Amino acid sequence: YGLDESLLLPSSSSSSSLLSCEERMASAYEKTALRPVLEKSGNKIDCVILGFGPDGHTCSLFPNHALLEEKDKLVASLNDSPKPPLCRITLTFPVLNHRSRMIVFCGAGESKGPILNRIFATVHHTPPKQITTNDNDNNNDNVKECLAILSDPAPFPCGMARPNEKQDSNLVYVVDTSA
C-alpha cells in the first residue's frame, strides 16, 4: 500500500497535531487495508498471525491501557505506548474477537513462559502425533501438542484475544520449548 503524505507529521510537533495525525493514520489503515479485506472475505479475516510480548501485550494492546476497553473502533491510535515507539496504531479486540476466524500466536524464548503459565488455566498434553515434513531431519521428538483452557478473566491482552468462531481450533499458540 502507498502512503498518503498528508498523513505525515506536520512540522509542528504539538500533542494535538500528533493525535490528529495518529487518528488519521488509523482511519487510513482501516479504509485502505482492513475494510477491503473484510469486504472480500465475508466480513472476517481468515487467519491473524500475532506475537506477544514479555508483558503480555499483543498488537499494540498493552496491559492496563484504555484501548483494552475499545468496543467500536477496528483500528485505533495511541500516543502513550508504554513501549517505544510512543505513537502507534493497532487493531482492536472488535477485529480480533469478532472479525477473525482464527488467531495464531507465535512466541519464542524464556520470557514467554510466565505469560503462557498465566493465560492458561490448565494444560492437557495430548498423545504424540507423527508429523510429516519435507526435509530429511527428524525433528518430531521436539513437537508437542497440548489442549489448553484459557484463564478467565484473562490476565494479559494476549489472553483476551478469543475469536468467536464455533470451531475447536480457532486459537492456536505456537511456541518453542524454552517458552
Side-chain angles (χ1 to χ4, degrees), residues 48-61:
V48 179
I49 300 175
L50 299 172
F52 58 102
D55 61 353
H57 84 273
T58 191
C59 298
S60 286
L61 299 167

Side-chain angles (χ1 to χ4, degrees), residues 50-80:
L50 299 172
F52 58 102
D55 61 353
H57 84 273
T58 191
C59 298
S60 286
L61 299 167
F62 291 94
N64 303 312
H65 195 278
L67 282 180
L68 298 180
E69 302 301 322
E70 178 58 52
K71 304 288 187 229
D72 300 316
K73 293 178 182 175
L74 301 182
V75 181
S77 62
L78 62 155
N79 65 355
D80 59 349

Side-chain angles (χ1 to χ4, degrees), residues 29 34 45 48 59-61 74-76 89-93 95-96:
Y29 183 86
L34 182 60
I45 298 171
V48 179
C59 298
S60 286
L61 299 167
L74 301 182
V75 181
I89 64 171
T90 185
L91 294 176
T92 60
F93 286 119
V95 171
L96 299 178

Side-chain angles (χ1 to χ4, degrees), residues 7-8 17 44 58 78 83 92 100 107 134-135 138 149 166:
L7 298 174
L8 297 175
S17 296
K44 295 259 187 179
T58 191
L78 62 155
K83 174 182 170 177
T92 60
S100 301
N134 292 333
D135 59 18
N138 187 1
I149 308 300
K166 294 183 176 32

